[in-house]
Amino acid sequence: MRARARVVARADGRGGTRLAELRGESPLLLRSTAAEGGLATVYVVGGAAGPLGGDDLLLEVEVGPGAALRVGSVAASVALPGRPGTAASRMRVHAVVHAGGTLHWVPEQLVAAAGCDHVAEARVELAAGARLTWRDELICGRYGESPGDAVVHTSVDHDGRPLLRQSTAVGPSAPGWAGPAVLGGAPATGSLLLVGPDVPPGLAAEPGVGVTPGVGVQPGGLPVPRARPAAGDGGSVAWLPLAGGPAALLTATAADAHTLRELLTGA
C-alpha cells in the first residue's frame, strides 16, 4: 500500500495558526482539533492495520513563519509482517519549520511486532529561529514476544547545517542490539529532541527520575553526557547538549512503554 499525507500550518495574522492544507490517504488519515493558545493540533489516525510489509507511507509537514503546530497520533503504530517475499514497510516523515515557527512532534509509540521488517525515516529542516520538540519511542515487540526488524533514522538540519544524525536498529538483523552497548536488555527506548533559543543547557529532573546532566568537557567545550540507571526499571537516561544549534537531546531506555513515556515527558 502506498499513501501520502500533508499538513501545512500558517500564521493567521491574529496570533493564532490556521491549517492551510490538510490531506491524507488511508492509512495516513489526518484529523484536526480545536486550536489552543495559538497552537494548531493534528492527529494521525490509522485508517488500516499496519504498517504491513511492503507499505510505503509518506507524511509531509510544513510550519510557516510565526505558526505553531502539534502533531500526535491517536494510538501506537504497530509494524506487522507482510506476505513472504514482500519488501520492508517504510514510513517517511519530512518536516520543514520556517523562521519563527514551532513544531511539536509527539506521536504514540512505534511497536516492532515479531516478524516485521520496518524502516522509519524522519528528515527535519529547521530555519534559524525555529523551535522543535521531537519525540521518538520504539517498543521492541508486543507483550511476551521478541521484536522483528525495525530501524529508526532521524536526520535534523538547523539553519542549513547538520544538527542530528541518529539511527537505532533492533531485531534479528541487528546483532548486539540488546547488549550492553545498545539497549542493555531494555525493551523500550526513545528520545526527546529540543531545539530553540530557550533550550536549557542542563536538565532539572524530579527526585528519583534518574536524569544526570552532562559532566566533563569534550572538544568544542560541550559537556560529555553521562547515563545512569533510571529508578528501579532497569533502564537508563542521558542528557546531551548538541553542537550546531541551541539544542539538546534526551535519550532513555526503560522496562516498558509507560515508564519510558514518564522519563521523556517528565523532562
Side-chain angles (χ1 to χ4, degrees):
M1 181 181 296
R2 294 173 59 88
R4 302 292 183 268
R6 179 172 172 82
V7 55
V8 178
R10 305 290 190 203
D12 63 7
R14 303 186 301 274
T17 298
R18 63 182 179 88
L19 297 177
E21 186 174 355
L22 186 69
R23 57 182 173 85
E25 302 171 333
S26 183
L28 289 181
L29 302 179
L30 304 180
R31 299 291 184 266
S32 63
T33 61
E36 296 184 7
L39 178 69
T41 300
V42 171
Y43 286 94
V44 180
V45 180
L52 299 171
D55 286 356
D56 184 4
L57 313 177
L58 171 64
L59 172 58
E60 296 176 309
V61 179
E62 182 180 352
V63 182
L69 175 67
R70 179 184 186 272
V71 180
S73 61
V74 298
S77 176
V78 182
L80 297 168
R83 295 189 303 272
T86 57
S89 56
R90 187 177 302 272
M91 173 66 190
R92 291 174 290 151
V93 178
H94 180 204
V96 177
V97 186
H98 296 273
T102 300
L103 173 62
H104 300 288
W105 174 265
V106 286
E108 296 303 307
Q109 300 93 347
L110 168 64
V111 180
C116 76
D117 185 4
H118 182 67
V119 178
E121 298 176 316
R123 180 163 60 95
V124 185
E125 301 174 33
L126 304 173
R131 287 177 166 83
L132 176 71
T133 300
W134 191 274
R135 187 180 72 203
D136 273 323
E137 296 170 307
L138 174 62
I139 310 303
C140 303
R142 293 169 292 192
Y143 180 78
E145 73 176 12
S146 298
D149 291 317
V151 180
V152 179
H153 295 296
T154 305
S155 172
V156 182
D157 290 346
H158 179 262
D159 195 19
R161 302 177 63 183
L163 176 65
L164 177 67
R165 301 290 188 269
Q166 179 169 275
S167 181
T168 302
V170 302
S173 296
W177 69 270
V182 188
L183 298 189
T189 183
S191 64
L192 180 71
L193 172 65
L194 303 175
V195 183
D198 50 359
V199 172
L203 182 63
E206 294 294 328
V209 168
V211 178
T212 303
V215 294
V217 177
Q218 60 181 321
L222 289 175
V224 174
R226 182 175 67 190
R228 80 177 190 189
D233 75 344
S236 64
V237 290
W239 175 260
L240 175 65
L242 300 181
L249 180 70
L250 176 71
T251 60
T253 61
D256 54 62
H258 176 73
T259 303
L260 177 66
R261 178 64 59 83
E262 285 189 333
L263 292 173
L264 296 179
T265 58

